[in-house]
Amino acid sequence: MSSEVRVRFAPSPTGYLHIGGARTALFNWLFARHHGGTFVLRVEDTDRARNTEEAAAAIYEGLRWLGLNWDEGPHLGGEFGPYFQSQRNEIYERYLKKLQDAGHIFDDQGALRFRSPREHVVVDDLVCGKIDFDLSNEEVHPDMTIRRPDGSWIFHFVNVIDDMEMKISHVIRGEDHLSNTPKHIELFRALGVTPPRYAHIPLILNRDGSKMSKRDQGASVDYYIKRGFLPEAVRNYLCLLGWSPKDNREKISIDEIVKIFDLNKVVRSHATFDPDKLHWLNGEYARELPDDSFQQLARSALQASGLKLENFSDEYIRTALDTCKGKVNTFDELAAYCGFYFDDNFKYNSEGLPKNFTAENKPRLAAMRAAFAGMESFSATEIETVMKATAKELGVKVGAIVHPTRFAVTGSNAGPSLYHLLEVLGKERVLARLDRALAAY
């Protein structure tokens, strides 16, 4: 089967790469890689009014970010190019003439329409099964236009010609195209060509059951790139939208998915996009990142948030970020989690102010400041010992000084391990921040 499998992803460059389009591209890519076949990228850019170079670039970037490398298409070329519909007009003219010569085309007020044979078309779909479409009623299924009066081509015609010319063996696309398929099969038959096999994959829905549209937050791949998601996690999650391994695992490597991917395991029901599950899965991947990768991605995310890391030594940044690994799910959460390391003038969390800056806590913070000032070694172990001893002297539980101390030096009651973050900040910075907090009362 390997030499026969040729699949394609054929986006229109009218906007960012939609998450549904990315999932379609992924399923095509997986099918091609599983069978040792060819994954073609074809750009359907006949809508000149809406197509933009920026949108095409966003599609390329999104596919590359997800690791979906194409074998033929833009920037690569191939045996069956050009891979932009806007450059294939001569090919479409040639096939139009074939259909005209065979009597399949008629003129309707300047538009060219394909004369349907008026018959039943059975689509033997690899996901949806056999579906019988009755095209015999002209009122329900009018003859389709293939060329508009202005000379522009209709999607159905050029899509079929490109699949034919590029020797596409399997068309894997969204279920919203299922109703177009009998029309496409009629065109293939009129040209005397065996149609490819079709597989229509379920639509992606929001949690409320509505169809995921371009306006929904998280509907574009660009959203995940900018928010600091990991491509491996997003790709893994997209695999699970409409397909799953038999053992219901959720975290599974792409190499393993390639080995076991099978269109027969694609479910018929709609797939629900769950942002919380993707967020969790991203955290699982983030925890397993090699230290160097984590450090690099973390630094980029913090700089993108406006923090000036250049004011700190490389060693300080590295040890600060070491306390954060495995604690956040996405890199855009890092600034809120550990931004205090890189900003002495951080804001105190407004909800935490009345809980921490109380009359009874001020003498406790003052006692803690005095205890820290007398320390020679400012290691996490020593800090823990001193804080517990100070709590004992004050006759309170250690938590009674841990929480206000954390708030005073970080502005929050959540974050990395307190003893470790105090060691990273260092004695001088901790004392200065305690002085700032005491002055804020």
Side-chain angles (χ1 to χ4, degrees), residues 83 136 210:
Y83 293 90
S136 59
S210 62

PDB file of all heavy atoms in Angstrom, residues 83 136 210:
ATOM      1  N   TYR A  83       1.483  24.088  -6.874  1.00  0.00           N
ATOM      2  CA  TYR A  83       0.665  23.703  -5.727  1.00  0.00           C
ATOM      3  C   TYR A  83      -0.218  24.848  -5.221  1.00  0.00           C
ATOM      4  O   TYR A  83      -0.737  24.794  -4.116  1.00  0.00           O
ATOM      5  CB  TYR A  83       1.553  23.129  -4.612  1.00  0.00           C
ATOM      6  CG  TYR A  83       2.173  21.816  -5.048  1.00  0.00           C
ATOM      7  CD1 TYR A  83       3.402  21.786  -5.691  1.00  0.00           C
ATOM      8  CD2 TYR A  83       1.491  20.621  -4.872  1.00  0.00           C
ATOM      9  CE1 TYR A  83       3.953  20.582  -6.122  1.00  0.00           C
ATOM     10  CE2 TYR A  83       2.027  19.413  -5.297  1.00  0.00           C
ATOM     11  CZ  TYR A  83       3.266  19.404  -5.932  1.00  0.00           C
ATOM     12  OH  TYR A  83       3.796  18.204  -6.364  1.00  0.00           O
ATOM     13  N   SER A 136     -31.368  12.464  -7.908  1.00  0.00           N
ATOM     14  CA  SER A 136     -32.290  12.420  -9.057  1.00  0.00           C
ATOM     15  C   SER A 136     -33.229  13.621  -9.107  1.00  0.00           C
ATOM     16  O   SER A 136     -33.732  13.961 -10.179  1.00  0.00           O
ATOM     17  CB  SER A 136     -33.106  11.125  -9.028  1.00  0.00           C
ATOM     18  OG  SER A 136     -33.855  11.028  -7.818  1.00  0.00           O
ATOM     19  N   SER A 210     -21.743  23.822  20.451  1.00  0.00           N
ATOM     20  CA  SER A 210     -21.726  24.654  19.234  1.00  0.00           C
ATOM     21  C   SER A 210     -20.490  24.330  18.397  1.00  0.00           C
ATOM     22  O   SER A 210     -19.475  23.862  18.916  1.00  0.00           O
ATOM     23  CB  SER A 210     -21.725  26.132  19.605  1.00  0.00           C
ATOM     24  OG  SER A 210     -20.559  26.462  20.352  1.00  0.00           O
TER      25      SER A 210
END
